[in-house]
Amino acid sequence: MQLAAAAIASEAAAFQFTGDLNGLGSKLALYAFKKVNKVIPDNGSVGSENKELPVEFLDSLLLGEWEDRMQRGLFRYDVTACETKVIPGKYGFIAQLNEGRHLKKRPTEFRVDKVLQPFDENKFNFTKVGQDEVLFQFEPSENNDAQFFPNAPIDIDNSPSVVAINVSPIEYGHVLLIPRILECLPQRIDRESFSLALHMAVEAGNPYFRLGYNSLGAFATINHLHFQAYYLAMPFPIERAPSKKITTTSGGVKISYILNYPVRGLVFECGNTMEDLSNVVSDSCICLQENNIPYNMLIADSGKRIFLFPQCYAEKQALGEVSAEILDTQVNPAVWEISGHMVLKRKDDYEGASEGNAWRLLAEVSLSEERLEEVKELIFESICCLIVENKVVTETTIEESAVTPQSHEDMDALKGSHHAICLCKIVCYGVRAFFQARVRLCMWVEAPSPSFCLARVVLDQPIANKVLPQKEGGSRKT
Amino acid sequence: MEPQLGFVEQSFDLRYTGWVREALNELPDCFTITDPCISGHPIVFASNGFLKMVGYSKDEVIGKNGRIFQGPETDRRAVMEIREAVRAERAVQVSLLNYRKDGTPFWMLFQMCPVYSKEDGRVINFVGVQVPIVLRKTRLSGLGISRNEINLCEDTVLRCCRREVCSDSILELRRESVSSSHDDRDVEINEPCDASELEKTKASAATSNILSVLTHYSELTGRLMFLFSVKHCQDWPQLLILLLLFLEHAIHRTDALLPDMPIVYASDAFMKLTGYARHEVLGQNCRFLSGIDTDPTTQFQIKECIRSQQACTVRILNYRLMTDCFLQIISLELLLFLTLLLFAAFRKDRTPFWNFLHISPVRNASGKVAFFVGIQIDDHCNYRELHGLRPEMRQLSVVGAVKVAVRSLSMGASTS
């Protein structure tokens, strides 16, 4: 349900940029991303060295702007002062003790039993944020290259999408991607907005920069279309979970069940083109929305893997079916919690955090196996024209699901030299914490740019972890 | 006069505990450690990689001076440079022709770095890293290893890269240098051979690793001081690996770090442009830093900011040109020496210049400030936008990257 164009003018009035909102003096940096179609190239033009911007530019821009806002005191608290740790265990759940977020976060202002609710301009929405909280515009570029314009005008008629800070951050670099902010779209995914989010993940090219989405009823707090993202240079537990393929669509998108994980769900990957992947996922989300099934969605691995978690926690809560113990933690299992990053409000919970506790909490969120099967059928019905093979069920192990298929390899090979200088991938390998990186990094060997060789050289050295003896009492990630 | 083998080894073990040899041998690099305190400046440790490379056995090397690897074609000037560096107690990096036990010569990049003792500031060891140089036609001198410059077919490049991929086995390295010298008939074996960026970086990385091992095993914890260098701040990979190494020390040894003994990182770009090559700054003792004509109020401002754990940007006077950002990481108590280091007496050129220094506290996963990061941008030369990103933004983005890295990396390593 979108507001008519006539309403845009009145909404724009609330947009607090400096200067006259009719276009005079309203300026905001613009990052124009390359619209990727991910066709298998024959001449290597996609992702080649002709790119104007270095691949880590979006990271630099985002981190730089974020740090700038941090030093200007725009955040409610310093998230880096919040203690955090990896819980020992197979999956490595990440716990954070954050007392301030709960107290200082904007409260949820709408009913939690309906996934689709109309936009309400009287409630808080992102056009009401201070101008300083908006970092830059994020739009597709006109030509084939990514470009950055530090002082672009805000084209109100063109309905810009923007990146803004989250003033109650979960982690460093926590931002909001708000598609077509002035159109005041309610929190619901459509093809265009999902494509924007996916492009951002791909553009950042950083597996530690993930985007997440919470639908209404799945702990979204603001009914204004937005995605969240932040940096965490550790693998999320969900990324370690194995998967079992269900089918492949005609566009090459592989859909699988998530296995061995407290929350059941689906994972989407591959696709002949990015558009194929984007459409399948957004259509699936739309299907859930229309069937009033709350869900959370995570875009991981620089846009290569997308997790979809239908959930039922809010419903259970309302029916009083959640144990008091779990309710007391006051953890609302949104996309980050489900992915394995738990923000805890009480010190006792943090001190006593264990993989068992995390598992138990998340298990409450999950649909049952039968229910997920039903949901999956619903989804498949709505994307039926896209499915080619019928229920080819093959067991895949962690290694299998980690190996990228052909189309990804090509993409990776082309981006080899760029990937190499991506900080987090390299660090990840160095810390040996991201199991997939072992496989991926070898594929990125193709282009021996100096800095890549540098990175490889450094990585071949054993790191401090290996050389130094274990500290007593510590659990070190290997 | 060669001292007894047992005595030599013993002195090394006493200083670092017996476990250090095992740890050092886990590193794949070729390196030796010498002790200038013992007469004859003998080798007290030689890595397995090194022994394989030169074809000697351990007993044939320990207790001997490094000159046994030199031969008739070895450039005397390079040797003099090394001797001078030993005498002056500083680091050096030269390309050197060495000989194996069987008499075959090979070129290698030799990077030597002193290790100081806190107590009296004297050098207690020299670490010498040897990186074999891949020969190439010198008439195509260039900008380091790249596809275009290697006249030999792409095969060589792929061989080099494949070498990195299949973790350096020394045998492969020998094969590389021997076979390429056979292929490359135009190159005289004794023509001076420049190391590529790749090799230099490898040497630095190896040095860092060795020094970190030594620090850890030193019984006199925190009594060692050395300067690392990281590449230009855009090269986050090496920065972050070194950061990890540094973190191990900072987190567990902050209390042991004495105020006047900083462990500092400074980037390549900074070194290059102060007129010294990176390797010459590596190993600079704080004794070499002298007070400079800097505005004392600026110094005070920096101190105040650090005391209150705030970020700040100051404009300071410094020496020589620096045309790019560089990164320094200092431990908490060492503000004073940050100031001194910035104004460091790089004596080659005392041309003053202005630059912007941005300092910010960086917290680790426990939420406490672990250290400060200082990022500097030259006022004159590079005060321009890069791709539209202002220099201040670039500084801040490095701060951000460091914060993410430190927080995430220390998350997994924390004990709490």
Side-chain angles (χ1 to χ4, degrees):
Chain A
M1 212 192 311
Q2 314 227 356
L3 287 176
I8 291 176
S10 63
E11 290 305 325
F15 204 30
Q16 294 173 31
F17 282 152
T18 45
D20 193 322
L21 288 159
N22 288 325
L24 303 167
S26 299
K27 293 225 188 256
L28 182 65
L30 164 65
Y31 186 97
F33 61 87
K34 186 219 287 279
K35 227 171 150 48
V36 177
N37 217 10
K38 221 191 87 177
V39 182
I40 317 266
D42 45 9
N43 58 353
S45 56
V46 175
S48 70
E49 288 79 10
N50 295 332
K51 246 183 126 158
E52 267 202 39
L53 296 177
V55 78
E56 73 277 13
F57 186 83
L58 185 57
D59 277 344
S60 299
L61 175 66
L62 226 148
L63 289 169
E65 295 286 342
W66 213 89
E67 177 63 22
D68 173 65
R69 302 305 189 277
M70 183 139 163
Q71 292 184 9
R72 274 152 62 172
L74 292 179
F75 292 98
R76 296 205 163 132
Y77 52 84
D78 180 358
V79 68
T80 61
C82 298
E83 220 182 311
T84 179
K85 66 181 178 187
V86 173
I87 300 171
K90 191 169 70 135
Y91 275 99
F93 285 91
I94 300 154
Q96 182 189 113
L97 176 59
N98 190 334
E99 286 139 332
R101 178 173 158 89
H102 168 64
L103 298 168
K104 298 175 181 176
K105 199 164 161 332
R106 294 180 182 118
T108 305
E109 292 181 301
F110 48 81
R111 49 193 294 192
V112 293
D113 61 342
K114 287 191 82 63
V115 176
L116 294 178
Q117 296 177 38
F119 184 86
D120 183 346
E121 70 219 33
N122 296 317
K123 302 259 169 65
F124 177 81
N125 64 73
F126 296 115
T127 62
K128 300 185 182 183
V129 303
Q131 71 180 76
D132 289 338
E133 293 180 27
V134 184
L135 301 183
F136 54 90
Q137 303 176 64
F138 191 70
E139 294 283 310
S141 99
E142 311 276 302
N143 56 35
N144 216 19
D145 281 325
Q147 289 177 299
F148 179 67
F149 305 97
N151 277 305
I154 303 159
D155 190 356
I156 292 178
D157 299 322
N158 202 21
S159 201
S161 307
V162 299
V163 173
I165 56 169
N166 184 337
V167 296
S168 307
I170 289 179
E171 262 306 329
Y172 194 92
H174 196 170
V175 293
L176 306 166
L177 173 66
I178 306 159
R180 309 197 303 282
I181 182 170
L182 297 177
E183 285 180 38
C184 291
L185 307 166
Q187 182 76 340
R188 67 184 286 175
I189 283 184
D190 58 14
R191 278 192 171 192
E192 203 183 323
S193 55
F194 182 79
S195 172
L196 186 76
L198 191 57
H199 271 97
M200 184 166 203
V202 171
E203 189 75 18
N206 186 334
Y208 295 135
F209 181 73
R210 304 157 182 101
L211 278 97
Y213 176 87
N214 302 317
S215 77
L216 300 183
F219 304 104
T221 47
I222 294 166
N223 188 13
H224 183 175
L225 181 57
H226 65 283
F227 296 83
Q228 304 179 41
Y230 59 79
Y231 289 92
L232 189 77
M234 286 294 241
F236 275 0
I238 185 63
E239 291 167 342
R240 295 181 196 261
S243 60
K244 182 170 109 177
K245 178 170 140 178
I246 307 170
T247 186
T248 305
T249 71
S250 55
V253 178
K254 183 169 96 162
I255 309 177
S256 318
Y257 282 123
I258 301 163
L259 300 177
N260 298 357
Y261 196 73
V263 184
R264 293 180 190 87
L266 303 172
V267 50
F268 299 77
E269 46 198 331
C270 318
N272 298 333
T273 67
M274 196 157 109
E275 203 183 327
D276 285 316
L277 179 60
S278 178
N279 288 345
V280 168
V281 180
S282 35
D283 289 351
S284 307
C285 294
I286 291 167
C287 165
L288 293 179
Q289 280 161 184
E290 287 173 354
N291 286 280
N292 204 33
I293 301 169
Y295 65 93
N296 307 91
M297 189 266 300
L298 178 77
I299 302 176
D301 201 4
S302 313
K304 295 201 190 78
R305 289 215 290 165
I306 300 155
F307 297 91
L308 189 60
F309 307 101
Q311 67 149 289
C312 63
Y313 190 80
E315 191 187 325
K316 275 192 189 170
Q317 228 178 350
L319 292 173
E321 287 174 12
V322 183
S323 77
E325 191 191 333
I326 290 178
L327 284 175
D328 282 344
T329 64
Q330 291 188 297
V331 172
N332 286 333
V335 63
W336 308 117
E337 285 77 10
I338 291 177
S339 303
H341 187 194
M342 328 280 293
V343 178
L344 302 165
K345 297 161 181 123
R346 303 187 300 186
K347 192 147 174 71
D348 292 337
D349 295 329
Y350 180 78
E351 299 293 331
S354 69
E355 185 153 300
N357 291 345
W359 197 284
R360 266 192 295 281
L361 193 150
L362 293 180
E364 295 289 334
V365 181
S366 178
L367 298 188
S368 65
E369 218 172 304
E370 299 81 30
R371 179 72 184 128
L372 180 65
E373 179 70 28
E374 286 171 24
V375 170
K376 182 214 82 183
E377 285 303 319
L378 269 176
I379 291 176
F380 278 26
E381 261 176 55
S382 68
I383 60 174
C384 61
C385 52
L386 303 172
I387 295 185
V388 103
E389 295 153 51
N390 218 3
K391 298 200 194 281
V392 175
V393 176
T394 40
E395 189 77 39
T396 61
T397 60
I398 294 180
E399 284 72 44
E400 274 185 83
S401 61
V403 172
T404 45
Q406 190 58 37
S407 51
H408 284 288
E409 273 178 28
D410 290 330
M411 182 84 149
D412 281 343
L414 293 162
K415 278 198 153 195
S417 57
H418 301 305
H419 277 162
I421 54 181
C422 170
L423 69 104
C424 286
K425 290 190 185 72
I426 308 300
V427 170
C428 177
Y429 183 82
V431 176
R432 300 201 203 300
F434 192 26
F435 71 101
Q436 285 188 351
R438 267 209 116 85
V439 176
R440 294 241 159 77
L441 202 55
C442 293
M443 293 181 198
W444 296 332
V445 169
E446 317 315 315
S449 71
S451 47
F452 174 72
C453 291
L454 151 68
R456 288 291 298 148
V457 160
V458 173
L459 289 169
D460 282 339
Q461 313 299 328
I463 52 164
N465 257 351
K466 201 175 156 203
V467 176
L468 306 178
Q470 291 281 336
K471 307 186 299 300
E472 52 280 352
S475 76
R476 188 172 300 219
K477 291 214 74 67
T478 49
Chain B
M1 173 166 59
E2 282 157 4
Q4 285 177 356
L5 205 63
F7 164 69
V8 157
E9 289 196 302
Q10 201 184 35
S11 76
F12 187 66
D13 291 343
L14 278 175
R15 199 169 275 148
Y16 298 108
T17 79
W19 299 106
V20 72
R21 291 176 185 278
E22 209 177 283
L24 288 172
N25 271 320
E26 281 196 26
L27 300 172
D29 314 290
C30 311
F31 62 94
T32 53
I33 301 179
T34 61
D35 191 337
C37 306
I38 302 175
S39 87
H41 195 178
I43 295 172
V44 295
F45 178 86
S47 75
N48 290 334
F50 175 79
L51 294 172
K52 269 192 225 141
M53 178 172 74
V54 294
Y56 286 91
S57 76
K58 193 183 82 158
D59 292 340
E60 292 170 320
V61 165
I62 301 283
K64 306 279 197 306
N65 186 281
R67 73 174 75 90
I68 62 169
F69 306 109
Q70 295 154 21
E73 302 287 343
T74 305
D75 183 12
R76 303 323 302 171
R77 267 177 294 129
V79 174
M80 292 305 299
E81 235 184 286
I82 297 173
R83 267 200 214 136
E84 180 54 34
V86 169
R87 196 193 60 76
E89 295 181 348
R90 57 177 175 78
V92 69
Q93 188 187 68
V94 293
S95 302
L96 197 62
L97 188 74
N98 263 7
Y99 288 77
R100 299 194 186 86
K101 184 173 178 181
D102 59 10
T104 56
F106 66 98
W107 278 98
M108 56 113 176
L109 176 70
F110 179 71
Q111 178 167 307
M112 187 180 75
C113 161
V115 177
Y116 300 93
S117 151
K118 156 60 191 163
E119 285 158 333
D120 46 14
R122 67 191 175 94
V123 177
I124 51 177
N125 286 112
F126 280 97
V127 171
V129 173
Q130 297 89 6
V131 177
I133 295 177
V134 172
L135 286 179
R136 53 191 173 280
K137 290 197 173 176
T138 51
R139 58 186 164 87
L140 285 184
S141 67
L143 314 156
I145 200 166
S146 88
R147 268 205 184 108
N148 302 326
E149 291 160 23
I150 306 289
N151 192 41
L152 306 173
C153 62
E154 238 178 342
D155 194 39
T156 310
V157 174
L158 292 174
R159 262 191 289 148
C160 297
C161 295
R162 224 177 286 129
R163 179 192 357 145
E164 308 308 328
V165 171
C166 349
S167 65
D168 312 311
S169 75
I170 298 303
L171 294 170
E172 209 164 316
L173 286 175
R174 274 185 78 167
R175 230 184 322 121
E176 293 293 329
S177 53
V178 168
S179 62
S180 41
S181 68
H182 286 170
D183 290 343
D184 214 347
R185 277 174 272 273
D186 289 348
V187 176
E188 297 273 314
I189 198 73
N190 58 357
E191 238 171 73
C193 200
D194 286 324
S196 66
E197 278 306 304
L198 172 65
E199 283 142 359
K200 285 184 188 165
T201 309
K202 212 175 146 120
S204 288
T207 308
S208 309
N209 285 334
I210 297 161
L211 293 177
S212 79
V213 171
L214 291 180
T215 311
H216 183 83
Y217 282 91
S218 164
E219 291 204 292
L220 316 168
T221 307
R223 307 295 181 102
L224 296 181
M225 187 205 90
F226 36 79
L227 296 172
F228 284 112
S229 61
V230 302
K231 275 230 173 237
H232 173 336
C233 63
Q234 289 293 327
D235 278 330
W236 290 339
Q238 187 181 11
L239 162 65
L240 291 168
I241 295 294
L242 290 176
L243 205 57
L244 180 62
L245 295 175
F246 177 76
L247 267 182
E248 293 291 337
H249 303 128
I251 290 173
H252 308 300
R253 290 175 187 24
T254 326
D255 49 314
L257 284 170
L258 303 164
D260 54 342
M261 184 66 98
I263 297 177
V264 189
Y265 295 87
S267 86
D268 275 3
F270 182 77
M271 300 314 135
K272 248 184 262 177
L273 299 157
T274 49
Y276 281 82
R278 165 175 37 94
H279 56 268
E280 287 178 300
V281 178
L282 193 76
Q284 284 283 349
N285 195 304
C286 60
R287 289 179 298 163
F288 290 89
L289 310 174
S290 62
I292 300 77
D293 15 312
T294 308
D295 183 6
T297 59
T298 308
Q299 288 196 39
F300 178 75
Q301 199 179 346
I302 297 174
K303 273 187 230 168
E304 267 314 297
C305 283
I306 297 212
R307 204 193 320 276
S308 58
Q309 296 189 353
Q310 299 292 317
C312 73
T313 303
V314 294
R315 197 155 172 263
I316 58 176
L317 192 64
N318 204 330
Y319 287 99
R320 199 55 197 96
L321 290 173
M322 205 186 51
T323 62
D324 222 328
C325 325
F326 77 98
L327 185 69
Q328 286 176 338
I329 300 170
I330 55 166
S331 76
L332 196 54
E333 302 88 358
L334 308 172
L335 160 65
L336 185 64
F337 284 82
L338 165 70
T339 315
L340 287 185
L341 185 65
L342 292 173
F343 315 143
F346 293 106
R347 299 168 205 279
K348 276 203 170 170
D349 189 325
R350 295 184 76 89
T351 316
F353 68 104
W354 285 100
N355 59 70
F356 284 85
L357 166 70
H358 181 89
I359 306 172
S360 184
V362 175
R363 297 171 187 271
N364 60 21
S366 70
K368 303 191 185 56
V369 176
F371 47 82
F372 286 80
V373 61
I375 302 166
Q376 202 162 339
I377 288 189
D378 178 25
D379 200 10
H380 286 138
C381 290
N382 213 34
Y383 200 74
R384 56 178 168 78
E385 298 186 346
L386 197 67
H387 298 294
L389 209 55
R390 292 184 343 260
E392 293 89 17
M393 269 307 139
R394 295 208 310 275
Q395 279 180 320
L396 292 175
S397 73
V398 178
V399 173
V402 171
K403 285 187 175 182
V404 171
V406 170
R407 187 167 161 82
S408 308
L409 294 176
S410 55
M411 214 189 280
S414 63
T415 48
S416 61

